[in-house]
PDB file of all heavy atoms in Angstrom:
ATOM      1  N   GLN A   1     -14.101  16.924   0.135  1.00 97.00           N
ATOM      2  CA  GLN A   1     -14.704  17.914  -0.742  1.00 97.00           C
ATOM      3  C   GLN A   1     -16.194  17.638  -0.945  1.00 97.00           C
ATOM      4  O   GLN A   1     -17.008  18.571  -1.004  1.00 97.00           O
ATOM      5  CB  GLN A   1     -13.956  17.938  -2.075  1.00 97.00           C
ATOM      6  CG  GLN A   1     -12.527  18.446  -1.925  1.00 97.00           C
ATOM      7  CD  GLN A   1     -11.759  18.463  -3.233  1.00 97.00           C
ATOM      8  OE1 GLN A   1     -12.338  18.704  -4.289  1.00 97.00           O
ATOM      9  NE2 GLN A   1     -10.475  18.226  -3.171  1.00 97.00           N
ATOM     10  N   GLN A   2     -16.549  16.370  -1.024  1.00 98.00           N
ATOM     11  CA  GLN A   2     -17.968  16.029  -1.116  1.00 98.00           C
ATOM     12  C   GLN A   2     -18.702  16.445   0.162  1.00 98.00           C
ATOM     13  O   GLN A   2     -19.808  16.992   0.100  1.00 98.00           O
ATOM     14  CB  GLN A   2     -18.130  14.525  -1.353  1.00 98.00           C
ATOM     15  CG  GLN A   2     -17.729  14.075  -2.745  1.00 98.00           C
ATOM     16  CD  GLN A   2     -17.812  12.575  -2.916  1.00 98.00           C
ATOM     17  OE1 GLN A   2     -17.694  11.809  -1.953  1.00 98.00           O
ATOM     18  NE2 GLN A   2     -18.005  12.129  -4.149  1.00 98.00           N
ATOM     19  N   ALA A   3     -18.084  16.196   1.298  1.00 98.00           N
ATOM     20  CA  ALA A   3     -18.709  16.564   2.573  1.00 98.00           C
ATOM     21  C   ALA A   3     -18.944  18.065   2.647  1.00 98.00           C
ATOM     22  O   ALA A   3     -20.004  18.530   3.086  1.00 98.00           O
ATOM     23  CB  ALA A   3     -17.833  16.103   3.731  1.00 98.00           C
ATOM     24  N   TYR A   4     -17.952  18.834   2.223  1.00 98.00           N
ATOM     25  CA  TYR A   4     -18.104  20.287   2.207  1.00 98.00           C
ATOM     26  C   TYR A   4     -19.238  20.699   1.276  1.00 98.00           C
ATOM     27  O   TYR A   4     -20.070  21.562   1.607  1.00 98.00           O
ATOM     28  CB  TYR A   4     -16.787  20.930   1.775  1.00 98.00           C
ATOM     29  CG  TYR A   4     -16.893  22.409   1.487  1.00 98.00           C
ATOM     30  CD1 TYR A   4     -17.316  23.303   2.463  1.00 98.00           C
ATOM     31  CD2 TYR A   4     -16.582  22.910   0.229  1.00 98.00           C
ATOM     32  CE1 TYR A   4     -17.430  24.657   2.193  1.00 98.00           C
ATOM     33  CE2 TYR A   4     -16.677  24.257  -0.054  1.00 98.00           C
ATOM     34  CZ  TYR A   4     -17.106  25.130   0.932  1.00 98.00           C
ATOM     35  OH  TYR A   4     -17.220  26.472   0.661  1.00 98.00           O
ATOM     36  N   SER A   5     -19.305  20.060   0.116  1.00 98.00           N
ATOM     37  CA  SER A   5     -20.334  20.435  -0.862  1.00 98.00           C
ATOM     38  C   SER A   5     -21.733  20.110  -0.352  1.00 98.00           C
ATOM     39  O   SER A   5     -22.701  20.779  -0.739  1.00 98.00           O
ATOM     40  CB  SER A   5     -20.078  19.743  -2.207  1.00 98.00           C
ATOM     41  OG  SER A   5     -20.404  18.365  -2.170  1.00 98.00           O
ATOM     42  N   ILE A   6     -21.854  19.101   0.500  1.00 98.00           N
ATOM     43  CA  ILE A   6     -23.164  18.804   1.094  1.00 98.00           C
ATOM     44  C   ILE A   6     -23.636  19.996   1.919  1.00 98.00           C
ATOM     45  O   ILE A   6     -24.807  20.399   1.862  1.00 98.00           O
ATOM     46  CB  ILE A   6     -23.086  17.540   1.974  1.00 98.00           C
ATOM     47  CG1 ILE A   6     -22.876  16.298   1.101  1.00 98.00           C
ATOM     48  CG2 ILE A   6     -24.367  17.379   2.808  1.00 98.00           C
ATOM     49  CD1 ILE A   6     -22.581  15.039   1.901  1.00 98.00           C
ATOM     50  N   MET A   7     -22.729  20.584   2.691  1.00 98.00           N
ATOM     51  CA  MET A   7     -23.103  21.730   3.509  1.00 98.00           C
ATOM     52  C   MET A   7     -23.467  22.944   2.642  1.00 98.00           C
ATOM     53  O   MET A   7     -24.392  23.695   2.955  1.00 98.00           O
ATOM     54  CB  MET A   7     -21.955  22.093   4.454  1.00 98.00           C
ATOM     55  CG  MET A   7     -21.598  21.011   5.441  1.00 98.00           C
ATOM     56  SD  MET A   7     -22.957  20.608   6.553  1.00 98.00           S
ATOM     57  CE  MET A   7     -23.051  18.831   6.330  1.00 98.00           C
ATOM     58  N   VAL A   8     -22.729  23.131   1.550  1.00 98.00           N
ATOM     59  CA  VAL A   8     -23.049  24.226   0.629  1.00 98.00           C
ATOM     60  C   VAL A   8     -24.429  23.998   0.020  1.00 98.00           C
ATOM     61  O   VAL A   8     -25.233  24.934  -0.128  1.00 98.00           O
ATOM     62  CB  VAL A   8     -21.972  24.356  -0.462  1.00 98.00           C
ATOM     63  CG1 VAL A   8     -22.344  25.457  -1.456  1.00 98.00           C
ATOM     64  CG2 VAL A   8     -20.614  24.652   0.159  1.00 98.00           C
ATOM     65  N   TYR A   9     -24.713  22.747  -0.326  1.00 98.00           N
ATOM     66  CA  TYR A   9     -26.029  22.403  -0.858  1.00 98.00           C
ATOM     67  C   TYR A   9     -27.120  22.669   0.173  1.00 98.00           C
ATOM     68  O   TYR A   9     -28.153  23.282  -0.143  1.00 98.00           O
ATOM     69  CB  TYR A   9     -26.046  20.936  -1.285  1.00 98.00           C
ATOM     70  CG  TYR A   9     -27.421  20.347  -1.430  1.00 98.00           C
ATOM     71  CD1 TYR A   9     -28.332  20.871  -2.356  1.00 98.00           C
ATOM     72  CD2 TYR A   9     -27.826  19.266  -0.651  1.00 98.00           C
ATOM     73  CE1 TYR A   9     -29.608  20.336  -2.487  1.00 98.00           C
ATOM     74  CE2 TYR A   9     -29.093  18.721  -0.772  1.00 98.00           C
ATOM     75  CZ  TYR A   9     -29.982  19.262  -1.684  1.00 98.00           C
ATOM     76  OH  TYR A   9     -31.239  18.744  -1.802  1.00 98.00           O
ATOM     77  N   LEU A  10     -26.898  22.233   1.406  1.00 98.00           N
ATOM     78  CA  LEU A  10     -27.893  22.458   2.452  1.00 98.00           C
ATOM     79  C   LEU A  10     -28.121  23.955   2.688  1.00 98.00           C
ATOM     80  O   LEU A  10     -29.251  24.385   2.950  1.00 98.00           O
ATOM     81  CB  LEU A  10     -27.465  21.773   3.744  1.00 98.00           C
ATOM     82  CG  LEU A  10     -27.514  20.243   3.739  1.00 98.00           C
ATOM     83  CD1 LEU A  10     -26.977  19.683   5.054  1.00 98.00           C
ATOM     84  CD2 LEU A  10     -28.934  19.745   3.493  1.00 98.00           C
ATOM     85  N   GLU A  11     -27.050  24.738   2.564  1.00 98.00           N
ATOM     86  CA  GLU A  11     -27.213  26.181   2.723  1.00 98.00           C
ATOM     87  C   GLU A  11     -28.126  26.751   1.634  1.00 98.00           C
ATOM     88  O   GLU A  11     -28.915  27.683   1.890  1.00 98.00           O
ATOM     89  CB  GLU A  11     -25.859  26.878   2.692  1.00 98.00           C
ATOM     90  CG  GLU A  11     -25.962  28.379   2.930  1.00 98.00           C
ATOM     91  CD  GLU A  11     -24.625  29.091   2.915  1.00 98.00           C
ATOM     92  OE1 GLU A  11     -23.612  28.465   2.528  1.00 98.00           O
ATOM     93  OE2 GLU A  11     -24.583  30.279   3.288  1.00 98.00           O
ATOM     94  N   SER A  12     -28.028  26.204   0.422  1.00 97.00           N
ATOM     95  CA  SER A  12     -28.882  26.686  -0.660  1.00 97.00           C
ATOM     96  C   SER A  12     -30.349  26.390  -0.391  1.00 97.00           C
ATOM     97  O   SER A  12     -31.237  27.082  -0.897  1.00 97.00           O
ATOM     98  CB  SER A  12     -28.458  26.047  -1.995  1.00 97.00           C
ATOM     99  OG  SER A  12     -28.850  24.677  -2.069  1.00 97.00           O
ATOM    100  N   LYS A  13     -30.620  25.351   0.427  1.00 97.00           N
ATOM    101  CA  LYS A  13     -31.988  24.982   0.761  1.00 97.00           C
ATOM    102  C   LYS A  13     -32.460  25.606   2.068  1.00 97.00           C
ATOM    103  O   LYS A  13     -33.599  26.064   2.177  1.00 97.00           O
ATOM    104  CB  LYS A  13     -32.096  23.459   0.909  1.00 97.00           C
ATOM    105  CG  LYS A  13     -31.942  22.656  -0.359  1.00 97.00           C
ATOM    106  CD  LYS A  13     -32.014  21.169  -0.079  1.00 97.00           C
ATOM    107  CE  LYS A  13     -33.300  20.799   0.667  1.00 97.00           C
ATOM    108  NZ  LYS A  13     -33.369  19.346   0.972  1.00 97.00           N
ATOM    109  N   LEU A  14     -31.578  25.617   3.066  1.00 97.00           N
ATOM    110  CA  LEU A  14     -31.975  25.957   4.428  1.00 97.00           C
ATOM    111  C   LEU A  14     -31.511  27.330   4.883  1.00 97.00           C
ATOM    112  O   LEU A  14     -31.985  27.832   5.903  1.00 97.00           O
ATOM    113  CB  LEU A  14     -31.419  24.901   5.406  1.00 97.00           C
ATOM    114  CG  LEU A  14     -31.737  23.437   5.095  1.00 97.00           C
ATOM    115  CD1 LEU A  14     -31.002  22.526   6.076  1.00 97.00           C
ATOM    116  CD2 LEU A  14     -33.237  23.194   5.130  1.00 97.00           C
ATOM    117  N   GLY A  15     -30.539  27.900   4.168  1.00 97.00           N
ATOM    118  CA  GLY A  15     -29.944  29.144   4.625  1.00 97.00           C
ATOM    119  C   GLY A  15     -28.858  28.890   5.656  1.00 97.00           C
ATOM    120  O   GLY A  15     -28.670  27.767   6.132  1.00 97.00           O
ATOM    121  N   GLU A  16     -28.131  29.942   6.008  1.00 97.00           N
ATOM    122  CA  GLU A  16     -27.013  29.806   6.942  1.00 97.00           C
ATOM    123  C   GLU A  16     -27.451  29.243   8.284  1.00 97.00           C
ATOM    124  O   GLU A  16     -26.849  28.299   8.797  1.00 97.00           O
ATOM    125  CB  GLU A  16     -26.357  31.172   7.141  1.00 97.00           C
ATOM    126  CG  GLU A  16     -25.218  31.169   8.156  1.00 97.00           C
ATOM    127  CD  GLU A  16     -24.650  32.555   8.386  1.00 97.00           C
ATOM    128  OE1 GLU A  16     -24.370  33.248   7.383  1.00 97.00           O
ATOM    129  OE2 GLU A  16     -24.506  32.955   9.554  1.00 97.00           O
ATOM    130  N   ARG A  17     -28.510  29.828   8.885  1.00 97.00           N
ATOM    131  CA  ARG A  17     -28.953  29.348  10.190  1.00 97.00           C
ATOM    132  C   ARG A  17     -29.466  27.923  10.096  1.00 97.00           C
ATOM    133  O   ARG A  17     -29.349  27.145  11.050  1.00 97.00           O
ATOM    134  CB  ARG A  17     -30.044  30.259  10.763  1.00 97.00           C
ATOM    135  CG  ARG A  17     -29.673  31.734  10.907  1.00 97.00           C
ATOM    136  CD  ARG A  17     -28.277  31.936  11.450  1.00 97.00           C
ATOM    137  NE  ARG A  17     -28.039  31.250  12.706  1.00 97.00           N
ATOM    138  CZ  ARG A  17     -26.853  31.088  13.251  1.00 97.00           C
ATOM    139  NH1 ARG A  17     -25.768  31.528  12.632  1.00 97.00           N
ATOM    140  NH2 ARG A  17     -26.721  30.453  14.391  1.00 97.00           N
ATOM    141  N   GLY A  18     -30.025  27.572   8.950  1.00 98.00           N
ATOM    142  CA  GLY A  18     -30.518  26.220   8.772  1.00 98.00           C
ATOM    143  C   GLY A  18     -29.408  25.188   8.776  1.00 98.00           C
ATOM    144  O   GLY A  18     -29.580  24.076   9.295  1.00 98.00           O
ATOM    145  N   VAL A  19     -28.249  25.523   8.189  1.00 98.00           N
ATOM    146  CA  VAL A  19     -27.113  24.598   8.204  1.00 98.00           C
ATOM    147  C   VAL A  19     -26.630  24.381   9.632  1.00 98.00           C
ATOM    148  O   VAL A  19     -26.352  23.252  10.054  1.00 98.00           O
ATOM    149  CB  VAL A  19     -25.961  25.124   7.323  1.00 98.00           C
ATOM    150  CG1 VAL A  19     -24.737  24.216   7.446  1.00 98.00           C
ATOM    151  CG2 VAL A  19     -26.399  25.211   5.877  1.00 98.00           C
ATOM    152  N   VAL A  20     -26.521  25.459  10.397  1.00 98.00           N
ATOM    153  CA  VAL A  20     -26.093  25.334  11.792  1.00 98.00           C
ATOM    154  C   VAL A  20     -27.091  24.483  12.566  1.00 98.00           C
ATOM    155  O   VAL A  20     -26.706  23.590  13.336  1.00 98.00           O
ATOM    156  CB  VAL A  20     -25.942  26.723  12.443  1.00 98.00           C
ATOM    157  CG1 VAL A  20     -25.610  26.581  13.926  1.00 98.00           C
ATOM    158  CG2 VAL A  20     -24.864  27.531  11.735  1.00 98.00           C
ATOM    159  N   ALA A  21     -28.384  24.727  12.368  1.00 97.00           N
ATOM    160  CA  ALA A  21     -29.413  23.953  13.056  1.00 97.00           C
ATOM    161  C   ALA A  21     -29.351  22.486  12.657  1.00 97.00           C
ATOM    162  O   ALA A  21     -29.506  21.586  13.499  1.00 97.00           O
ATOM    163  CB  ALA A  21     -30.798  24.529  12.753  1.00 97.00           C
ATOM    164  N   PHE A  22     -29.106  22.221  11.375  1.00 98.00           N
ATOM    165  CA  PHE A  22     -28.989  20.840  10.896  1.00 98.00           C
ATOM    166  C   PHE A  22     -27.829  20.140  11.603  1.00 98.00           C
ATOM    167  O   PHE A  22     -27.966  18.997  12.067  1.00 98.00           O
ATOM    168  CB  PHE A  22     -28.767  20.837   9.388  1.00 98.00           C
ATOM    169  CG  PHE A  22     -28.674  19.462   8.780  1.00 98.00           C
ATOM    170  CD1 PHE A  22     -29.799  18.838   8.267  1.00 98.00           C
ATOM    171  CD2 PHE A  22     -27.457  18.793   8.704  1.00 98.00           C
ATOM    172  CE1 PHE A  22     -29.717  17.570   7.701  1.00 98.00           C
ATOM    173  CE2 PHE A  22     -27.358  17.533   8.144  1.00 98.00           C
ATOM    174  CZ  PHE A  22     -28.498  16.914   7.640  1.00 98.00           C
ATOM    175  N   PHE A  23     -26.694  20.822  11.667  1.00 98.00           N
ATOM    176  CA  PHE A  23     -25.541  20.223  12.334  1.00 98.00           C
ATOM    177  C   PHE A  23     -25.837  19.953  13.803  1.00 98.00           C
ATOM    178  O   PHE A  23     -25.581  18.850  14.312  1.00 98.00           O
ATOM    179  CB  PHE A  23     -24.324  21.136  12.216  1.00 98.00           C
ATOM    180  CG  PHE A  23     -23.137  20.676  13.016  1.00 98.00           C
ATOM    181  CD1 PHE A  23     -22.315  19.668  12.546  1.00 98.00           C
ATOM    182  CD2 PHE A  23     -22.860  21.232  14.259  1.00 98.00           C
ATOM    183  CE1 PHE A  23     -21.232  19.213  13.295  1.00 98.00           C
ATOM    184  CE2 PHE A  23     -21.783  20.798  15.010  1.00 98.00           C
ATOM    185  CZ  PHE A  23     -20.967  19.781  14.526  1.00 98.00           C
ATOM    186  N   LEU A  24     -26.370  20.931  14.495  1.00 96.00           N
ATOM    187  CA  LEU A  24     -26.640  20.762  15.926  1.00 96.00           C
ATOM    188  C   LEU A  24     -27.674  19.669  16.174  1.00 96.00           C
ATOM    189  O   LEU A  24     -27.613  18.974  17.196  1.00 96.00           O
ATOM    190  CB  LEU A  24     -27.107  22.083  16.535  1.00 96.00           C
ATOM    191  CG  LEU A  24     -26.076  23.224  16.513  1.00 96.00           C
ATOM    192  CD1 LEU A  24     -26.690  24.499  17.074  1.00 96.00           C
ATOM    193  CD2 LEU A  24     -24.829  22.830  17.301  1.00 96.00           C
ATOM    194  N   GLN A  25     -28.595  19.495  15.261  1.00 96.00           N
ATOM    195  CA  GLN A  25     -29.613  18.467  15.415  1.00 96.00           C
ATOM    196  C   GLN A  25     -29.039  17.068  15.256  1.00 96.00           C
ATOM    197  O   GLN A  25     -29.452  16.133  15.948  1.00 96.00           O
ATOM    198  CB  GLN A  25     -30.726  18.681  14.382  1.00 96.00           C
ATOM    199  CG  GLN A  25     -31.817  17.607  14.406  1.00 96.00           C
ATOM    200  CD  GLN A  25     -32.846  17.794  13.308  1.00 96.00           C
ATOM    201  OE1 GLN A  25     -32.819  18.790  12.574  1.00 96.00           O
ATOM    202  NE2 GLN A  25     -33.754  16.860  13.176  1.00 96.00           N
ATOM    203  N   HIS A  26     -28.051  16.923  14.352  1.00 97.00           N
ATOM    204  CA  HIS A  26     -27.571  15.587  14.009  1.00 97.00           C
ATOM    205  C   HIS A  26     -26.188  15.240  14.561  1.00 97.00           C
ATOM    206  O   HIS A  26     -25.805  14.068  14.544  1.00 97.00           O
ATOM    207  CB  HIS A  26     -27.539  15.425  12.483  1.00 97.00           C
ATOM    208  CG  HIS A  26     -28.895  15.459  11.849  1.00 97.00           C
ATOM    209  ND1 HIS A  26     -29.451  16.625  11.348  1.00 97.00           N
ATOM    210  CD2 HIS A  26     -29.814  14.488  11.634  1.00 97.00           C
ATOM    211  CE1 HIS A  26     -30.642  16.362  10.845  1.00 97.00           C
ATOM    212  NE2 HIS A  26     -30.887  15.074  10.996  1.00 97.00           N
ATOM    213  N   ALA A  27     -25.447  16.221  15.053  1.00 96.00           N
ATOM    214  CA  ALA A  27     -24.063  15.951  15.467  1.00 96.00           C
ATOM    215  C   ALA A  27     -23.968  15.034  16.681  1.00 96.00           C
ATOM    216  O   ALA A  27     -22.938  14.406  16.893  1.00 96.00           O
ATOM    217  CB  ALA A  27     -23.338  17.268  15.763  1.00 96.00           C
ATOM    218  N   SER A  28     -25.013  14.950  17.458  1.00 95.00           N
ATOM    219  CA  SER A  28     -24.976  14.085  18.639  1.00 95.00           C
ATOM    220  C   SER A  28     -25.393  12.650  18.315  1.00 95.00           C
ATOM    221  O   SER A  28     -25.405  11.787  19.192  1.00 95.00           O
ATOM    222  CB  SER A  28     -25.905  14.648  19.720  1.00 95.00           C
ATOM    223  OG  SER A  28     -27.250  14.696  19.246  1.00 95.00           O
ATOM    224  N   LEU A  29     -25.691  12.385  17.055  1.00 94.00           N
ATOM    225  CA  LEU A  29     -26.138  11.055  16.635  1.00 94.00           C
ATOM    226  C   LEU A  29     -25.002  10.274  16.014  1.00 94.00           C
ATOM    227  O   LEU A  29     -24.010  10.826  15.578  1.00 94.00           O
ATOM    228  CB  LEU A  29     -27.283  11.186  15.618  1.00 94.00           C
ATOM    229  CG  LEU A  29     -28.469  12.065  16.035  1.00 94.00           C
ATOM    230  CD1 LEU A  29     -29.470  12.173  14.883  1.00 94.00           C
ATOM    231  CD2 LEU A  29     -29.130  11.506  17.286  1.00 94.00           C
ATOM    232  N   SER A  30     -25.174   8.925  15.972  1.00 93.00           N
ATOM    233  CA  SER A  30     -24.156   8.115  15.322  1.00 93.00           C
ATOM    234  C   SER A  30     -24.449   7.845  13.865  1.00 93.00           C
ATOM    235  O   SER A  30     -23.595   7.353  13.144  1.00 93.00           O
ATOM    236  CB  SER A  30     -23.986   6.770  16.029  1.00 93.00           C
ATOM    237  OG  SER A  30     -25.004   6.385  16.776  1.00 93.00           O
ATOM    238  N   ALA A  31     -25.618   8.237  13.403  1.00 92.00           N
ATOM    239  CA  ALA A  31     -25.972   8.052  11.998  1.00 92.00           C
ATOM    240  C   ALA A  31     -26.992   9.125  11.614  1.00 92.00           C
ATOM    241  O   ALA A  31     -27.747   9.600  12.461  1.00 92.00           O
ATOM    242  CB  ALA A  31     -26.557   6.666  11.751  1.00 92.00           C
ATOM    243  N   VAL A  32     -26.986   9.479  10.357  1.00 93.00           N
ATOM    244  CA  VAL A  32     -27.936  10.439   9.821  1.00 93.00           C
ATOM    245  C   VAL A  32     -28.620   9.795   8.626  1.00 93.00           C
ATOM    246  O   VAL A  32     -27.957   9.280   7.721  1.00 93.00           O
ATOM    247  CB  VAL A  32     -27.241  11.753   9.390  1.00 93.00           C
ATOM    248  CG1 VAL A  32     -28.259  12.721   8.790  1.00 93.00           C
ATOM    249  CG2 VAL A  32     -26.522  12.391  10.557  1.00 93.00           C
ATOM    250  N   ASP A  33     -29.931   9.797   8.628  1.00 92.00           N
ATOM    251  CA  ASP A  33     -30.698   9.238   7.525  1.00 92.00           C
ATOM    252  C   ASP A  33     -30.369  10.016   6.244  1.00 92.00           C
ATOM    253  O   ASP A  33     -30.509  11.248   6.219  1.00 92.00           O
ATOM    254  CB  ASP A  33     -32.188   9.353   7.833  1.00 92.00           C
ATOM    255  CG  ASP A  33     -33.062   8.590   6.832  1.00 92.00           C
ATOM    256  OD1 ASP A  33     -32.657   8.467   5.658  1.00 92.00           O
ATOM    257  OD2 ASP A  33     -34.146   8.137   7.233  1.00 92.00           O
ATOM    258  N   PRO A  34     -29.908   9.329   5.195  1.00 91.00           N
ATOM    259  CA  PRO A  34     -29.588  10.031   3.939  1.00 91.00           C
ATOM    260  C   PRO A  34     -30.740  10.880   3.409  1.00 91.00           C
ATOM    261  O   PRO A  34     -30.520  11.860   2.705  1.00 91.00           O
ATOM    262  CB  PRO A  34     -29.247   8.888   2.977  1.00 91.00           C
ATOM    263  CG  PRO A  34     -28.785   7.776   3.867  1.00 91.00           C
ATOM    264  CD  PRO A  34     -29.616   7.888   5.118  1.00 91.00           C
ATOM    265  N   ARG A  35     -31.976  10.499   3.780  1.00 93.00           N
ATOM    266  CA  ARG A  35     -33.126  11.271   3.315  1.00 93.00           C
ATOM    267  C   ARG A  35     -33.140  12.670   3.916  1.00 93.00           C
ATOM    268  O   ARG A  35     -33.747  13.597   3.355  1.00 93.00           O
ATOM    269  CB  ARG A  35     -34.414  10.534   3.667  1.00 93.00           C
ATOM    270  CG  ARG A  35     -34.641   9.275   2.818  1.00 93.00           C
ATOM    271  CD  ARG A  35     -35.854   8.511   3.281  1.00 93.00           C
ATOM    272  NE  ARG A  35     -35.674   7.985   4.638  1.00 93.00           N
ATOM    273  CZ  ARG A  35     -36.568   7.226   5.266  1.00 93.00           C
ATOM    274  NH1 ARG A  35     -37.716   6.932   4.676  1.00 93.00           N
ATOM    275  NH2 ARG A  35     -36.319   6.777   6.486  1.00 93.00           N
ATOM    276  N   ALA A  36     -32.454  12.840   5.061  1.00 95.00           N
ATOM    277  CA  ALA A  36     -32.376  14.169   5.671  1.00 95.00           C
ATOM    278  C   ALA A  36     -31.539  15.110   4.815  1.00 95.00           C
ATOM    279  O   ALA A  36     -31.689  16.334   4.875  1.00 95.00           O
ATOM    280  CB  ALA A  36     -31.791  14.071   7.085  1.00 95.00           C
ATOM    281  N   VAL A  37     -30.621  14.529   4.031  1.00 96.00           N
ATOM    282  CA  VAL A  37     -29.776  15.319   3.133  1.00 96.00           C
ATOM    283  C   VAL A  37     -30.420  15.445   1.760  1.00 96.00           C
ATOM    284  O   VAL A  37     -30.307  16.483   1.101  1.00 96.00           O
ATOM    285  CB  VAL A  37     -28.375  14.684   3.009  1.00 96.00           C
ATOM    286  CG1 VAL A  37     -27.535  15.423   1.977  1.00 96.00           C
ATOM    287  CG2 VAL A  37     -27.683  14.659   4.359  1.00 96.00           C
ATOM    288  N   ASP A  38     -31.119  14.389   1.330  1.00 96.00           N
ATOM    289  CA  ASP A  38     -31.684  14.310  -0.022  1.00 96.00           C
ATOM    290  C   ASP A  38     -30.557  14.202  -1.047  1.00 96.00           C
ATOM    291  O   ASP A  38     -30.189  15.169  -1.714  1.00 96.00           O
ATOM    292  CB  ASP A  38     -32.584  15.516  -0.319  1.00 96.00           C
ATOM    293  CG  ASP A  38     -33.197  15.475  -1.728  1.00 96.00           C
ATOM    294  OD1 ASP A  38     -33.116  14.421  -2.389  1.00 96.00           O
ATOM    295  OD2 ASP A  38     -33.715  16.510  -2.168  1.00 96.00           O
TER     296      ASP A  38
END
């Protein structure tokens, strides 16, 4: 549920296309800098 809420939060900042772009940018990595989420 926390993971889902992160995406909802990112949508409030980045918009729908921004969430998809965020996922595509980071999904190929083994770690994501927490600062990218804030």
Side-chain angles (χ1 to χ4, degrees):
Q1 294 179 34
Q2 288 176 334
Y4 170 59
S5 74
I6 291 171
M7 298 298 127
V8 177
Y9 161 61
L10 290 176
E11 183 179 10
S12 74
K13 291 178 55 181
L14 307 174
E16 177 183 312
R17 303 318 305 168
V19 175
V20 175
F22 182 93
F23 173 80
L24 296 177
Q25 177 184 354
H26 294 94
S28 61
L29 308 176
S30 21
V32 178
D33 189 330
R35 288 175 295 183
V37 175
D38 180 12

